[in-house]
Amino acid sequence: MQFPPGYGSHPPNYSAPSGHYSQVPNKAAASHLDHQYRASYYPGYYSAPAQNVMTPSVGSTVLNAQGSQQLYNKTPPHTGGSSDGPVQGAISSASYLHMSAQQSYSAFDNHYSTSVSSSVASQGFPLNSDHYAMPVVSGAMYPNVPYPPAAAGSAYGQTFTSQSLPTVGQFKETNAFSSQSTSVPHSLQQHVPAGYNTTLSTISSAQSVQDNLCRNLPGSVAKVNNQIKTGGIDSSQPVHSVSQNVPFTKPGVGTSASSAVVSSVRSPAPSLSSQPSSSPSVTQSPELALQEALDSSSTTSSASPVLNNYDALEGGGYPDTRSVTSSPVPAPSVPQTSKASKPFGYGYPALQPGYQNATPTTPVQPSNPGHHPGFQHYPQQYPGVNQLSSSLGSLSLQHSQQPESLRPVNLTHDRNILPVSSVPAPVPNLNSDLRKLNCSPDSFRCTLTNIPQTQALLNKAKLPLGLLLHPFRDLTQLPVITSSTIVRCRSCRTYINPFVSFIDQRRWKCNLCYRVNDVPEEFMYNPLTRSYGEPHKRPEVQNSTVEFIASSDYMLRPPQPAVYLFVLDVSHNAVEAGYLTIVCQSLLENLDKLPGDSRTRIGFITFDSTVQFYNLQEGLSQPQMLIVSDIDDIFLPTPDSLLVNLHESKELIKDLLNALPNMFTNTRETHSALGPALQAAFKLMSPTGGRISVFQTQLPSLGAGLLHSREDPNQRSSTKVVQHLGPATDFYKKLALDCSGQQTAVDLFLLSSQYSDLASLACMSKYSAGCIYYYPSFHRTHNPAQAEKLQKDLKRYLTRKIGFEAVMRIRCTKGLSIHTFHGNFFVRSTDLLSLANVNPDAGFAVQMSIEESLTDTSLVCFQTALLYTSSKGERRIRVHTLCLPVVSSLADVYAGADVQAVVCLLANMAVDRSVSSSLADARDALVNAVVDSLAAYMSTASNLQQSMLIAPNSLKLFPLYILALLKQKAFRTGTSTRLDDRVYAMCQMKSQPLVHLMKMIHPNLYRIDKLTDESTIHVNDRVVPQPPLQKLSAEKLTREGAFLMDCGSIFYIWIGKNCDNSFIKDVLGYPNYASVPQKMTQLPEVDALSSERTRSFISWLRDSRPLSPVLQVIKDENPAKTDFFQHLIEDRTEAAFSYYEFLLNIQQQVCK
Amino acid sequence: MAFTFAAFCYMLSLVLCAALIFFAIWHIIAFDELRTDFKSPIDQCNPAHARERLRNIERICFLLRKLVLPEYSIHSLFCIMFLCAQEWLTLGLNVPLLFYHLWRYFRCPADSSELAYDPPAVMNADTLSYCQKEAWCKLAFYLLSFFYYLYCMIYTLVSS
């Protein structure tokens, strides 16, 4: 990799699958630059693609600007690097940033002070060339561009002065019409890998850039990737640099970024168009890039499978800002722009006429009559602001008669209630601007998207109120903001977010506690548009998911390095299972991909009846094993050489990993001293904190924390009491708390063939914010499916993002209160979750209650702030904000119910209930939840016949999901379920994010033997068929078909006896049904259409989840058949109802 | 005026009741401490503070756990004494609390050797507010019974 070690301060956020970048066939001649780009791009761990789409003359400078920001945002080591740059030895990064602002910003000179070095700087864009090989290109690029010293293209668009109004207007046009535009010369696009903007510099030639883009237009995927970096580098000067990387792919845009309209309007500055890098446009560039991208993305978003947060900005985001850039005074002169840009309105039919009338009079927002997403930021400017909230409310009321979600469904009659494709998250009933700004449902979901006004109303609805969070999710787009002050409410410490209201330019009102706060001086400056006086345009206020790079206020000690400790079981049982080979192999393969920086440390402990340490100190010829047999009083033999720097001792580590699998082959030690090994691990980790990965294969039998078998196999299928769901000892819990206090998380990999008391062992991860993996009956050769799964899980586990010493706080609007949390963490004070580590696959749930009536507000907001140390040693804060409407009628509450979230929250509550009370109680509670809510609904809808079981459309899947839960391993009774399996399923329920949990509860079944091209989608240049979802019932299985069941962590392919031979031949690669082997875990690559379709469908399903599922092909006589049929939850089993019986049962109870 | 067994019981319970009042007050303070972390939000997010806070929580929970048995046994002692002294009214007043204590004591999760006040469990906002309410109620009850015992003691001393 060409990045200096200190480089990647931002990348960790961008672990986006980058598929379509790579797979798009080159439509233009590949330039070597492009190759260079790719070369530098793919090696990155966090291959997040981002593209910058720039209008004409913009490109190159922006590019530089971004490069430079990148530079600034970077950690110190980099500045050193930059000063070595060929051109600009003298340029300090700060001066580079601020250089020419003074002319236009004379009023704010003190803030945006100019440095004379700007002219130098302008040529010094390539200043980081030593890293990025850029200078040559850019030199070629701007041979004749005049860079006036004061107006050079710096990050901050200092060139305002040279910007003429017409140009301004036309930029607007550009945005408005870009999608229809055809004129090539103006368009310059570039795509920038979000994390590594460095590469960007390698492609800073207009042509190559354009090529790049063209190449990257698969045509169907629209994706906006926004990366905003605000760089306040020079702490004395509050400067922000923002880079927006907006990748989008859109047919035709590659060649048509600017329209005819644009060029005509641009005529005042004709030279601009011919010179892509001329300064006026430079000033506009990032913003333009953003807006245009937004625009175009919005036009294509319907085709886009990627969730697009940023089309939110489309309507209101662009219009007014650029007018401001042209002059130091924010509002003044550009009314005509607004007129020029008519087309904004069309997207907002719901808009109240009142707003449209009101706006044109407002000088500040000349161009967007009311469509501005942030229009609520200006309450006092609209005569009817106070009606704003009420009008929002009424809006939602009008709309809430989404007849769809309230349409009564007769459950006993409608048999096909499953949607064709996956169940979408309900969209909160907000006004369209707010809706677009709202947080993605993947990160943040509420069980009721219409919040009831009072607790009484909530009680009446009989639905749980809570949030489902996936805060550290891998995001493809995330604005990262560096700023010397992070704007927060002074009383409740809420981070500023899109849902605050700006009372005037200088004050904002917190949306959670309603306190009026001052807008800090530097927040007035918008680095994105490089304009002053528009706090509502700041990225913090335009995005509901942002990440701040925290200042030193947020840390007392220096950020901890990434420290990984592996604690491996090497007893006879473990060696027999053969997991060591897989673990060591995976580690060897991923050693370089472990997240971390130059300080990363790693260590190993193995244990059987003794504990073995490994001295890996640099300089040793080979790893030294140190055995401590005093397990009652464990100590560290050589405390400072057991955890070693990964880079310094890499050879020794590799030696050890190569040797480990064979070191214990002949061991006869059957005991396992897990407790002492953990104590040693804790001692080793406590000075730094970090992550302990424990691999255990049996019941710990020696030393502290030893456990006894508690499971009675005869009770496995008992319908009565299931015991021992709680821990047998508090040793592991205490250890976890100690670890949590030392910022250490313990991740448990349990690979056992017999009972290992997961209920007790899991505590070590539960309270230290670790994660739990369980591989029942693991054996490397006898159970290849599990072995493959372990391998894949490990790959993900080792390379995924990690956040250390994290805390998470969830705030909500006054009146709501959070009372219970679910997930793996420790609650440190009532609203603060302590997470020693946070990983992208962890989900959380919270339950809430309404303490005060919400009658005086029409919107409530929830904010999650996750403060963590990235693996690069940066303190970062990821903030998600969700905004939901408040409703006063019961019908509206039902209309907004999010059935998946409700079910997931209920599952979490049921787990708690079964541990604290009993499984039977939990099951009853689940059934009662359905009965109560349906009864409550039916009593509200008085005109319904009582004899039928009616559910609102929004809840029509509720009984089905609850039945699925009751048949889930965690809660089922009557079917033989091993205690560990049950406990593991419960652990998963508590810690999985909603999407994965739903697959666990209710798998998806598809028929795959007749995949057609109908309703296919195109992803990454692949055609992905979209077969309809099938009911989970054996009636859907035909002997002639082949079916795929997606259970989240495992795929089953069931093949009917009379399945078409051509399918078996093409897809499975065997001549006929009889020759298909019992244990088949992979589909061969056969060159046939059906094979291709099946494989692309499966890989599409796989791509959607972090842990790659294992595939199992099942024939009729396969022992795994029972597993498959157990998932057919609509069918009757010996111990449980069929779906129809369940409905009748519910109906009986409802009518009682 | 005679120094009967009943009078002795009341005198003893008066003293012990003072101890129980003290316990209740301590509980209230402890739960308040658990609930609110008296630090600025920025400090709270501090990893170094985390350890200190965690120690605090564990220490408090440890003490809470230690106090459970003394409190319950003192209260049962009352009941036994009043039973022996045949003070039926007083006994009747105390019996509900006695049953509540028994229920609390034996309701703890089956497998755990821990009693109540397990740090992760206690930090649940629901549990915490329940515990706090419980502590306030007990405080009120003990205070009232303190004066009741005082009255009864004087009454028995004077009347007989």
Side-chain angles (χ1 to χ4, degrees), chain A residues 1053-1114:
Chain A
I1053 291 183
W1054 182 85
I1055 302 174
K1057 258 207 174 98
N1058 303 335
C1059 185
D1060 194 9
N1061 263 347
S1062 68
F1063 175 82
I1064 294 179
K1065 199 165 71 193
D1066 289 348
V1067 177
L1068 303 177
Y1070 290 93
N1072 54 39
Y1073 180 77
S1075 58
V1076 176
Q1078 290 288 351
K1079 285 180 183 173
M1080 185 170 172
T1081 56
Q1082 234 144 24
L1083 293 186
E1085 298 212 1
V1086 182
D1087 194 18
L1089 186 62
S1090 57
S1091 167
E1092 214 166 273
R1093 277 187 191 144
T1094 316
R1095 277 183 290 118
S1096 85
F1097 179 57
I1098 289 174
S1099 63
W1100 175 73
L1101 287 176
R1102 271 190 179 151
D1103 287 347
S1104 67
R1105 68 207 74 200
L1107 296 180
S1108 183
V1110 184
L1111 187 113
Q1112 239 180 327
V1113 177
I1114 291 177

Side-chain angles (χ1 to χ4, degrees), chain A residues 35-345:
Chain A
H35 289 307
Q36 209 173 344
Y37 160 65
R38 293 229 173 110
S40 55
Y41 171 40
Y42 283 105
Y45 317 144
Y46 305 103
S47 50
Q51 255 172 284
N52 251 346
V53 181
M54 310 264 161
T55 30
S57 29
V58 170
S60 49
T61 343
V62 168
L63 184 139
N64 293 321
Q66 282 170 344
S68 64
Q69 288 152 8
Q70 190 64 20
L71 185 75
Y72 298 137
N73 290 340
K74 232 148 282 150
T75 42
H78 198 87
T79 17
S82 69
S83 64
D84 300 331
V87 188
Q88 49 56 256
I91 304 164
S92 80
S93 46
S95 67
Y96 184 11
L97 270 178
H98 314 145
M99 40 194 148
S100 58
Q102 96 242 50
Q103 300 189 343
S104 42
Y105 279 150
S106 48
F108 319 115
D109 244 306
N110 46 343
H111 300 294
Y112 307 103
S113 66
T114 325
S115 74
V116 197
S117 60
S118 52
S119 62
V120 188
S122 61
Q123 294 146 16
F125 295 144
L127 75 181
N128 31 6
S129 55
D130 48 344
H131 303 304
Y132 310 132
M134 170 186 170
V136 188
V137 180
S138 68
M141 176 69 184
Y142 312 114
N144 52 356
V145 178
Y147 283 114
S154 79
Y156 278 115
Q158 310 67 351
T159 50
F160 311 122
T161 43
S162 59
Q163 176 92 39
S164 60
L165 273 185
T167 327
V168 171
Q170 128 232 124
F171 275 115
K172 174 173 297 297
E173 297 295 337
T174 313
N175 304 317
F177 297 125
S178 59
S179 53
Q180 309 123 17
S181 58
T182 48
S183 71
V184 184
H186 301 297
S187 67
L188 169 60
Q189 278 113 0
Q190 62 190 68
H191 65 261
V192 182
Y196 298 115
N197 279 353
T198 53
T199 50
L200 154 102
S201 37
T202 64
I203 49 161
S204 63
S205 118
Q207 277 316 315
S208 66
V209 167
Q210 205 163 2
D211 288 350
N212 269 334
L213 186 72
C214 298
R215 195 163 301 131
N216 285 303
L217 299 172
S220 63
V221 183
K223 179 151 87 173
V224 174
N225 186 337
N226 239 350
Q227 177 198 7
I228 301 174
K229 295 180 180 151
T230 327
I233 300 80
D234 188 345
S235 56
S236 65
Q237 291 180 335
V239 173
H240 312 266
S241 69
V242 171
S243 71
Q244 286 267 5
N245 295 332
V246 187
F248 78 100
T249 46
K250 171 183 182 299
V253 172
T255 54
S256 66
S258 60
S259 67
V261 182
V262 174
S263 44
S264 68
V265 182
R266 189 167 285 166
S267 52
S271 63
L272 297 191
S273 51
S274 60
Q275 289 205 346
S277 55
S278 59
S279 40
S281 45
V282 166
T283 45
Q284 306 280 348
S285 46
E287 154 200 321
L288 268 180
L290 165 70
Q291 287 146 3
E292 180 169 296
L294 289 174
D295 192 326
S296 25
S297 73
S298 70
T299 60
T300 52
S301 59
S302 59
S304 155
V306 183
L307 202 108
N308 187 343
N309 281 334
Y310 293 88
D311 57 2
L313 298 176
E314 158 222 14
Y318 41 92
D320 48 2
T321 37
R322 78 203 45 93
S323 62
V324 182
T325 32
S326 62
S327 90
V329 190
S333 52
V334 210
Q336 75 267 35
T337 48
S338 69
K339 274 144 211 163
S341 60
K342 261 278 135 40
F344 295 128

